[in-house]
Structure formats: C-alpha cells, structure tokens
Amino acid sequence: MADKLGQGASFDIDVAYRESLDPIAGLPSPEECLRQIAFVTADTKITFDAGSASITAEARPVVDDIAEIVRRCPELEIEVAGYTDSQGRDEMNLELSQKRADAVVEALRRARVPVAGFTPVGYGEADPIDDNDTSAGREANRRIEFRLSGAQSEDETASNDDEDAPEGETRPEPEPETADADAPQVMDRPATGPRARPSDASDE
C-alpha cells in the first residue's frame, strides 16, 4: 500500500473476522466426531468372521462411514478398543481382541484415512456390557469401541468437570479413596495361567 500511495500517505486498515468463512472453525470438535462414530455404529457394529480378525463383508459399509467421518476430523486422537466374549482362554481372547483392533485401524488406513493418532488396544473379555451366559450377551460383548485418547481425552474430562462446577469456580480435586477394612475385598485375578473353560474357541 505504501508503494502505491506514497511513503507520506496516511491510511487505516479495518480487518474483520467472520467465523463462517473460517475453514478451521467450521470443523467438528473431537467430541462431535466421536458422537458421529457412535451414531453410525449404534445399529450396525463392526463384526468379524468367527474366531478371526477378518472384518465381515456386512461390516465394510460401517467402516466406510467411519472413514468419512474421520476425514472431516483432522488430528483426531482415538483409541480403537477390541473386546471378545468370555468363551475360550484369556490369552487367546486377549490376542484376538488386539488383532481385531489392529484390523479396524488397518481398514481405515486403506480407506485413506490419516490414522497416525489411532491406537489399537485389545482388552480381551474385560469389561463385559452384557451377560456372557447368553448368546445375545456374548454377541454384545464382542465389540469394537472408539474413545478419545491422549490430550483430547484429558481436555474432554476437564471440560466436563468445569461444566459441573458452580460459575466462576473449578471443581475441587476428589479425595483419595481408601479401602474399608470391614468391607469384603475382591481378589485380583491371577496375571498368568489360563482359566478353566468349557471350550478353547474364542468366539462362537
């Protein structure tokens, strides 16, 4: 401007920011992306061939839908968690769940999704969401879950805590829990050694 108006010219610059034109501001937040993934997997979950880490043909459209969501969510940090039912040995279930989580991340990578922030983790038969004594319950427990990880997970926790606190205050740190000496104690499961099972099959 000085070259065109001359070095002695006086002028003002008026700059206005319009959020509607900002390509970054229009992107969904990590929490919104996770909600969209939960929506598409609510009715049709990612399924695998029995006892393997091969994603079924019926589940491919779900993977494609997830890939489309993730493309709109740059630098997303997600843990892809794999779970199995309780059929079979602990070690086999843990290994199978890890392979299935790996398979989901690999399928997204092949769909040209940036998966640098994706962490596949297998949890085996841990944290069942239904009864493993029924066929329907075991089917529900064989699942893939997506959750925020890393700094994004910490940001979400901090945001939820602040929303619950009174205005102008932050939520106090919770007191450390202490075990009640009179309460019955739950024994930890052994870290090694297979548990007796009616069958070694990992999945039905």
Side-chain angles (χ1 to χ4, degrees), residues 16-186:
Y17 170 72
R18 296 179 61 183
E19 184 175 353
S20 60
L21 300 179
D22 188 337
I24 302 300
L27 295 176
S29 68
E31 293 79 13
E32 290 171 337
C33 294
L34 202 65
R35 283 193 291 269
Q36 292 176 23
I37 292 175
F39 178 80
V40 301
T41 58
D43 296 326
T44 307
K45 68 177 188 177
I46 300 175
T47 54
F48 301 84
D49 293 334
S52 79
S54 299
I55 299 175
T56 62
E58 294 78 9
R60 292 290 174 180
V62 182
V63 175
D64 292 338
D65 290 342
I66 295 173
E68 184 62 29
I69 293 171
V70 175
R71 291 190 191 99
R72 301 193 297 267
C73 301
E75 300 181 2
L76 194 62
E77 296 180 11
I78 279 186
E79 177 184 283
V80 181
Y83 294 90
T84 67
D85 59 31
S86 64
Q87 299 296 296
R89 293 180 298 174
D90 293 353
E91 295 84 354
M92 293 177 59
N93 289 336
L94 189 62
E95 180 181 3
L96 180 60
S97 65
Q98 181 64 54
K99 289 181 177 179
R100 287 179 171 178
D102 291 337
V104 172
V105 175
E106 176 62 17
L108 292 173
R109 187 190 67 80
R110 291 185 177 182
R112 300 186 182 279
V113 169
V115 295
F118 284 52
T119 304
V121 181
Y123 290 96
E125 60 190 69
D127 302 324
I129 60 175
D130 211 323
D131 189 355
N132 273 306
D133 291 333
T134 67
S135 177
R138 290 191 295 272
E139 171 64 25
N141 291 332
R142 297 192 294 267
R143 67 197 189 275
I144 293 290
E145 292 184 357
F146 299 84
R147 58 178 69 105
L148 295 180
S149 62
Q152 292 177 346
S153 177
E154 296 173 2
D155 291 344
E156 180 185 26
T157 301
S159 176
N160 291 337
D161 288 347
D162 289 344
E163 288 176 359
D164 294 338
E167 185 176 357
E169 299 181 12
T170 58
R171 195 172 188 172
E173 292 294 329
E175 293 294 332
E177 296 183 0
T178 57
D180 185 352
D182 296 329
Q185 300 299 308
V186 179

